[in-house]
Amino acid sequence: MSNVTSENTAVPRSPVVEMRGISIGFPGVKALDGVDFRMFPGEVHSLMGENGAGKSTLIKALTGVYGIDAGTITLSGAQVSFSGPAQAQAAGISTVYQEVNLLPNLSVAENIMLGREPRRFGGIGWRAMRRRSAELLAGLGLDVDPGSLLGDHSLAVQQLIAIARAIDVNAKVLILDEPTSSLDADEVAELFRVIRSLRDQDVAILFVSHFLDQVYEICDRLTVLRNGTLVGEYLVEELLRIDLVQKMIGKELTTLDDLEQRAHAVVVDESDAATFVSASKLGRRGAINPADLPIAAGEVVGLAGLLGSGRTEFARLLGGIDRADTGELTIRGETVRLRTPRQAIARRIAFSSENRRDEGIVGDLTVRDNIVLALQADRGWFRPIPKKKQDELAQSYIQALNIRPGNPDALVRNLSGGNQQKVLLARWLAIAPRLLILDEPTRGIDIGAKAEIQKLVFNLAENGMSVLFISAELEEVLRLSHRVVVLRDRHVVADLENDGLTVDSLLTLIADGRVASDDEALAEIEPTPTTQGGTR
Amino acid sequence: MSGLAKVVSHRLFWPIVMLLVLFAINLVAFPGFFTITVRDGQLFGSLIDILRNGAPTLIIAVGMTLVIATRGIDLSVGAVAAISGAVACSIILGSPEPGNLATVAVAVAVALLISLVLGVWNGFLVAVLGIQPIIATLILMTAGRGVAMLITEGQILTVNSPPFKFLGSGFWFGVPVAVVIAAVVFGIAALVTRRTALGMLIESVGINPEASRQAGLRARGLLFAVYTFCALCAAIAGLILTANTAAADANNTGLFIELDAILAVVIGGTSLAGGRYTLFGTLVGALVIQTLVTTVYTVGIPPIATMVFKAAVVTIVCLLQSPTTAASISGFRRRLAARAGKGLAAS
Ligand SMILES: Nc1ncnc2c1ncn2[C@@H]1O[C@H](COP(=O)(O)OP(=O)(O)OP(=O)(O)O)[C@@H](O)[C@H]1O
Ligand SMILES: [Mg+2]
């Protein structure tokens, strides 16, 4: 077997991973039912399917996290049955699971090298460890200090660190479960560069993502799951997107175009709404420079910027998650100081974190408890929400957001990633917010559900709710927002009406902080702000 | 999952089995074990003894359960018990009428009030200063005995006060007062946390503190509440223990009771990692521990081996409850089922 490159992906070679008839059941859920799956060396393979289709479960079956009820797994021709991920790793399967599972209290270097630290005189070779991790990070185009604490980094950086950890191992099979869910275009490009080079070294790569563009860019072959059953295996170049979506959801998708038309309809009659919340010179040292941001009732404002541009940090100030040390915030004309999220919630400002595992869901509580949590906390412990009301709330959001399994008593940690995200969203919608701050709200959510959620947010905005929306996916920002605020290097550099904005013009702004000169639509709307602390 | 599997996988299955096994052992060694007699309108019997002697541990374990649910631990309960006993006894001794009901009422009230202060102190260290609970409460665990010493001036304070004695060894409608008090504490804790949203909020803070903060929970307030409640429980237990012997001993009142209480919580199935708790489990755990002690006597195990015996039982329960064991048991079941399935297919 020499270095066969991708001249013809259909050349039948023997698969490195072959799973046959895999079934796994959990109490009340048949997560996988007789699924066949295989991976070839030197190929990038994708697992596609809606939230809860069984993608992560199939991966965990392969790596021994879950035992299988039926079926066989062969690795390089030999039947295997791993009793845990460590064994799988030793056998050459390196995995980044959907929920980044690193240790926030250890340094970046320790997280990357944990379990295989370079040894020196019987102790740990700290210097070698730092050097090796710096190399790995650089390989991913990431500039972070290996000695810094993992927990101090944004989720996207943590995700990249987890990937760096996985590619360091000399693996035959590399599995990435939604590795790009919080990455920007640039980081995705770096990651793809690495994936391609590994592929050319004959590594078999499994890449799971809900972004069809990414799948079509990087993958050679894909397997579609629906409701725990196999739909089929296809070569990417032979499957049209529209057919793929149809295979994933079992019916045709129409909702997206719907929204497109509505978005523009609303932009027109949005002009004279009253300002609901307004930040003036609001800032926090080391996080975001003082910036202004007025948001009208019923307005959807998108925050765009690169990773580390301060978009999340700014949103956290508005949500009361972090305290501002300069500037002030006025809510309906009244100046307030938000010291805790609780105070923000009392004023009906909800902040939905991008980091659902650490800052969002409460895994060991039920879906119902998670949905009513913020509302209950706001009412106070001595005024419990009546059981019946709780059930109504849970049931209505389970339906509205299509949370599956639709069982309010299920523990949230047993839900698939996308469904956990929906539960989190439900929690915030349940407090009937006046301002909903959404940091990557559609992270890990499948395209069908994404359209549903966007539609829901839009409906609420039409009824007067303001929305501050952050997404690494600029198309999504443009589709939803009435206005787009651009951040760069922790400064607000522009504040634009979303009228004729394109992804390209936004990208230019994000990259160099100037409005592209050849874009006349922009130059005309955009009044002053090209410098720091951009005002309106 | 079959019905049987469901029962076996219930988290209280093994603790209850253990309790039943201990009962059985006792019954063999002492056929009168289950007999409860009524003498002078008061209940007597081994089971009643278990309940009465286990009451202080249970009371503390109830408070400990809530603390542990928040990912915390309170090592200072033994010391707080000693302090409250010392305070009550010194007040009773200092009074001209030690047998007066009012005197005892004041003594008890002051002891409980002081425990509230101690609980707030623990809460302050944990919630405001952010000290790790095990360290924060270790401070009071060691310093507290010293404080109790100061109060008793190094003496063992023996009181002769019938109303006080009543708390420890009295009967109320035939039931030992200590048991009544434990039942009340247990009932109030269960009602207040489960009928309001308190229990869910406590669990939420224990499972994911940052997510809870962002959801608008007052984590600090909750921590203050649970540490204060736990100290209050410790003080009540301390009063019962002191009243039972009618003597406050700064060195020995409630010695090692924190360990029994923590064990009761763990045996009952509440994880030391915080989060979901079960007060009923704690009740079972406390009964297991007290029955164990009784078993040691009835079976005639030499006192020096008591600790080893206890350790063995605790180890077994913990092993049975560990996730690894659960996983290997279910793996074993799966393989069995798979083999059975194959057998069927082949035939
Ligand atoms: N430990 C568990 N206990 C109970 N049910 C589980 C468990 N793990 C997964 N499930 C269920 O199995 C099904 C498949 O989940 P899985 O995580 O594989 O979905 P997924 O395809 O990865 O979805 P997503 O795109 O949202 O990540 C879901 O219905 C989920 O609720
Ligand atoms: Mg998944």
Side-chain angles (χ1 to χ4, degrees):
Chain A
M1 280 203 226
S2 58
N3 49 339
V4 184
T5 42
S6 53
E7 45 194 13
N8 186 357
T9 44
V11 169
R13 302 198 282 169
S14 54
V16 55
V17 170
E18 183 146 32
M19 304 173 79
R20 283 194 171 278
I22 304 294
S23 296
I24 290 186
F26 297 107
V29 194
K30 186 105 197 177
L32 291 176
D33 192 2
V35 173
D36 297 336
F37 174 71
R38 52 184 193 161
M39 287 171 72
F40 293 92
E43 259 187 32
V44 184
H45 198 122
S46 183
L47 257 181
M48 302 294 295
E50 292 181 286
N51 294 134
K55 305 180 293 294
S56 301
T57 307
L58 187 66
I59 289 170
K60 289 179 182 167
L62 173 59
T63 61
V65 176
Y66 295 146
I68 52 177
D69 296 340
T72 55
I73 304 174
T74 50
L75 183 66
S76 311
Q79 187 160 342
V80 291
S81 156
F82 301 121
S83 63
Q87 266 189 13
Q89 170 118 36
I93 304 180
S94 188
T95 314
V96 178
Y97 295 96
Q98 186 170 7
E99 303 301 333
V100 171
N101 217 347
L102 300 174
L103 302 164
N105 294 329
L106 294 186
S107 72
V108 171
E110 285 165 310
N111 267 291
I112 293 179
M113 308 298 285
L114 197 71
R116 51 202 152 81
E117 300 88 349
R119 296 283 164 173
R120 193 159 178 270
F121 307 132
I124 289 175
W126 294 101
R127 202 149 351 124
M129 180 155 129
R130 284 204 179 193
R131 190 157 18 85
R132 180 75 193 122
S133 26
E135 283 166 19
L136 283 166
L137 293 169
L140 276 170
L142 195 61
D143 176 30
V144 300
D145 174 11
S148 56
L149 274 191
L150 181 92
D152 291 345
H153 295 287
S154 73
L155 189 67
V157 172
Q158 293 189 20
Q159 207 165 31
L160 286 165
I161 290 169
I163 294 168
R165 176 182 162 78
I167 58 183
D168 181 38
V169 185
N170 236 333
K172 284 186 277 195
V173 179
L174 174 65
I175 299 176
L176 304 169
D177 194 355
E178 301 200 27
T180 55
S181 59
S182 53
L183 300 188
D184 286 335
D186 284 354
E187 288 105 36
V188 172
E190 288 291 335
L191 176 63
F192 282 7
R193 205 176 40 69
V194 173
I195 289 181
R196 287 197 183 96
S197 99
L198 288 171
R199 179 197 62 195
D200 294 344
Q201 295 163 36
D202 251 8
V203 177
I205 295 152
L206 179 57
F207 175 83
V208 179
S209 170
H210 288 292
F211 297 113
L212 294 192
D213 288 346
Q214 296 179 0
V215 170
Y216 273 82
E217 183 183 341
I218 192 84
C219 297
D220 305 304
R221 196 186 288 270
L222 54 81
T223 297
V224 179
L225 297 181
R226 192 194 314 141
N227 275 331
T229 57
L230 176 70
V231 176
E233 187 202 77
Y234 311 90
L235 286 175
V236 173
E237 53 189 352
E238 292 173 1
L239 186 66
L240 290 176
R241 288 182 193 214
I242 181 158
D243 294 333
L244 169 60
V245 171
Q246 203 253 324
K247 289 188 192 315
M248 279 162 56
I249 63 180
K251 58 175 194 261
E252 275 164 50
L253 187 78
T254 48
T255 34
L256 272 172
D257 314 333
D258 237 31
L259 186 71
E260 211 90 50
Q261 285 151 13
R262 298 151 64 94
H264 291 298
V266 178
V267 172
V268 182
D269 62 65
E270 164 270 333
S271 49
D272 58 356
T275 300
F276 169 66
V277 58
S278 173
S280 79
K281 301 260 170 295
L282 197 68
R284 179 180 163 92
R285 191 178 291 275
I288 174 83
N289 288 294
D292 295 348
L293 180 68
I295 305 177
E299 192 178 25
V300 180
V301 178
L303 279 189
L306 292 178
L307 184 69
S309 62
R311 53 183 194 203
T312 293
E313 289 79 355
F314 194 32
R316 285 171 72 96
L317 296 187
L318 292 170
I321 310 297
D322 297 330
R323 282 184 212 179
D325 47 24
T326 56
E328 60 184 29
L329 194 66
T330 45
I331 300 176
R332 271 181 280 183
E334 180 201 351
T335 305
V336 293
R337 281 194 145 267
L338 296 181
R339 286 197 191 76
T340 59
R342 185 179 177 79
Q343 291 172 342
I345 291 168
R347 296 188 164 78
R348 289 292 170 268
I349 297 180
F351 174 87
S352 168
S353 170
E354 61 174 334
N355 190 346
R356 69 167 167 259
R357 186 182 66 121
D358 296 334
E359 301 180 355
I361 62 156
V362 183
D364 275 340
L365 290 185
T366 61
V367 169
R368 183 197 297 104
D369 286 347
N370 268 278
I371 290 178
V372 303
L373 187 65
L375 188 63
Q376 180 62 69
D378 185 53
R379 283 168 66 111
W381 63 269
F382 48 88
R383 283 177 57 216
I385 302 168
K387 184 78 171 45
K388 198 160 146 267
K389 180 83 194 304
Q390 292 190 18
D391 283 332
E392 280 169 21
L393 270 173
Q395 213 59 59
S396 72
Y397 284 108
I398 284 173
Q399 245 157 41
L401 301 176
N402 192 15
I403 296 170
R404 280 181 289 179
N407 169 12
D409 289 311
L411 296 188
V412 163
R413 80 177 138 85
N414 289 341
L415 264 55
S416 79
N419 283 300
Q420 292 182 359
Q421 187 70 38
K422 295 182 202 166
V423 170
L424 193 55
L425 207 57
R427 175 193 298 166
W428 295 119
L429 293 175
I431 69 166
R434 297 291 312 271
L435 168 62
L436 178 57
I437 305 172
L438 297 171
D439 195 354
E440 303 282 359
T442 52
R443 209 186 126 218
I445 284 187
D446 66 49
I447 45 173
K450 192 180 272 186
E452 289 298 323
I453 286 173
Q454 292 174 351
K455 219 162 63 181
L456 188 78
V457 167
F458 231 91
N459 281 341
L460 290 166
E462 278 183 319
N463 290 322
M465 181 180 79
S466 312
V467 180
L468 185 63
F469 185 80
I470 303 178
S471 172
E473 208 187 336
L474 292 179
E475 291 85 352
E476 195 180 27
V477 173
L478 287 178
R479 194 176 317 128
L480 274 176
S481 311
H482 301 139
R483 247 171 69 213
V484 179
V485 172
V486 181
L487 288 100
R488 185 165 176 272
D489 290 338
R490 306 185 184 279
H491 289 285
V492 168
V493 293
D495 185 339
L496 312 160
E497 296 295 329
N498 182 11
D499 189 359
L501 278 179
T502 61
V503 170
D504 285 340
S505 61
L506 259 188
L507 274 175
T508 324
L509 257 175
I510 286 171
D512 58 15
R514 269 188 306 276
V515 179
S517 56
D518 57 348
D519 194 332
E520 66 290 347
L522 276 177
E524 168 190 309
I525 297 158
E526 207 259 335
T528 40
T530 47
T531 51
Q532 50 161 286
T535 47
R536 280 234 298 176
Chain B
M1 239 202 257
S2 68
L4 183 69
K6 226 177 221 161
V7 172
V8 174
S9 67
H10 192 275
R11 59 177 168 180
L12 284 183
F13 177 74
W14 291 114
I16 289 178
V17 165
M18 182 57 75
L19 190 59
L20 296 180
V21 168
L22 286 172
F23 280 170
I25 294 174
N26 277 288
L27 194 61
V28 172
F30 171 52
F33 183 71
F34 283 118
T35 320
I36 294 176
T37 53
V38 184
R39 247 182 282 151
D40 307 335
Q42 298 171 351
L43 299 176
F44 285 96
S46 303
L47 286 179
I48 302 295
D49 286 345
I50 288 175
L51 285 178
R52 191 179 59 194
N53 297 333
T57 308
L58 173 61
I59 292 170
I60 293 183
V62 166
M64 190 69 78
T65 308
L66 300 184
V67 169
I68 286 178
T70 66
R71 277 196 195 179
I73 196 144
D74 189 348
L75 296 181
S76 70
V77 286
V80 172
I83 292 177
S84 82
V87 167
C89 285
S90 69
I91 290 177
I92 293 172
L93 274 183
S95 137
E97 289 175 279
N100 193 326
L101 193 60
T103 310
V104 174
V106 168
V108 167
V110 172
L112 295 183
L113 271 179
I114 286 177
S115 76
L116 293 184
V117 175
L118 297 174
V120 169
W121 163 256
N122 279 338
F124 175 76
L125 295 183
V126 174
V128 179
L129 299 189
I131 302 177
Q132 285 191 9
I134 196 165
I135 306 293
T137 56
L138 192 63
I139 297 174
L140 188 55
M141 177 186 181
T142 43
R145 295 256 169 221
V147 172
M149 258 331 198
L150 289 178
I151 297 170
T152 60
E153 293 168 348
Q155 312 283 314
I156 293 181
L157 302 183
T158 317
V159 294
N160 182 11
S161 163
F164 187 57
K165 181 115 180 103
F166 178 76
L167 286 178
S169 46
F171 284 83
W172 193 68
F173 289 107
V175 185
V177 173
V179 177
V180 174
I181 296 176
V184 168
V185 170
F186 183 90
I188 289 179
L191 269 181
V192 169
T193 59
R194 291 305 184 195
R195 279 300 163 85
T196 69
L198 195 58
M200 193 255 277
L201 298 181
I202 287 174
E203 290 179 336
S204 177
V205 166
I207 297 166
N208 192 340
E210 180 56 20
S212 303
R213 186 182 80 92
Q214 293 198 9
L217 274 70
R218 263 190 292 232
R220 267 188 195 183
L222 287 171
L223 288 179
F224 267 110
V226 293
Y227 282 95
T228 309
F229 177 67
C230 189
L232 182 68
C233 289
I236 295 172
L239 291 175
I240 293 175
L241 289 168
T242 317
N244 198 26
T245 53
D249 179 347
N251 280 325
N252 293 312
T253 303
L255 191 62
F256 295 141
I257 201 165
E258 59 279 342
L259 299 184
D260 278 352
I262 294 168
L263 274 179
V265 176
V266 173
I267 290 177
T270 299
S271 158
L272 279 178
R276 295 225 128 173
Y277 69 86
T278 145
L279 285 174
F280 182 70
T282 297
L283 172 63
V284 175
L287 289 177
V288 167
I289 289 185
Q290 194 55 47
T291 311
L292 206 55
V293 175
T294 310
T295 312
V296 169
Y297 292 122
T298 45
V299 176
I301 293 170
I304 29 172
T306 307
M307 292 305 258
V308 178
F309 183 66
K310 204 160 152 183
V313 173
V314 168
T315 311
I316 293 170
V317 175
C318 291
L319 270 181
L320 288 173
Q321 282 175 314
S322 90
T324 317
T325 319
S328 50
I329 289 178
S330 84
F332 180 67
R333 258 213 320 272
R334 273 209 174 107
R335 267 189 310 261
L336 274 188
R339 209 168 294 156
K342 260 181 220 147
L344 281 183
S347 64

